[in-house]
Amino acid sequence: MARVSYDRRVQFLRAEVVDDGFQTRQGDYRPHGPRCWAAKSEISDAEKFSAGSVVPNLQARFRLPWSSFAAGIAHTDRISCEGRVYAIVGIKEIGRRAALEFTTASVTP
């Protein structure tokens, strides 16, 4: 397996749950857990084209070393890195508890 450089600091964001007495709904995204070291790689235009994606946004993959915290991240969470917020599109495990890879798409605030 190729050596990965975990050179970016990322913050996971989770939507708070708002209960107004009548209903429960999703609120604003707040920091969730500690800031983590991650490796970031942009998804190329050729890869987007071959996948049939026509969405004009930035897509990236973040790879984190496996931890119980990282394993608890859900598709509904978001990742903040270098001033940009990304929605999690897919999560896959790399190896047996070696790393987790998050495929993301940027979101506008």
Side-chain angles (χ1 to χ4, degrees), residues 2 5 8-10 22 24 29 36 39-40 48 52 55 60-61 68 71-73 75 82-83 88 91 93 102-103:
S5 176
R8 310 286 174 103
R9 296 288 277 176
V10 298
F22 295 106
T24 316
Y29 282 88
C36 304
K40 178 184 175 190
K48 289 181 201 177
V55 180
R61 287 193 184 96
S68 58
I73 298 299
H75 287 88
E82 299 172 342
I88 298 173
I91 303 171
E93 187 175 10
F102 299 90
T103 304

Side-chain angles (χ1 to χ4, degrees), residues 8 10-13 38-44 47-48 53 55-64 73-81 84-92 100-108:
R8 310 286 174 103
V10 298
Q11 174 69 60
F12 286 96
L13 307 171
K40 178 184 175 190
S41 61
E42 300 291 334
I43 296 177
S44 70
E47 191 174 355
K48 289 181 201 177
S53 175
V55 180
N57 63 2
L58 295 175
Q59 295 178 337
R61 287 193 184 96
F62 293 91
R63 184 178 285 196
L64 279 77
I73 298 299
H75 287 88
T76 54
D77 295 334
R78 293 186 175 178
I79 297 175
S80 174
C81 178
R84 187 175 301 272
V85 177
Y86 298 88
I88 298 173
V89 177
I91 303 171
K92 69 179 178 180
L100 290 169
E101 185 176 87
F102 299 90
T103 304
T104 63
S106 66
V107 293
T108 53

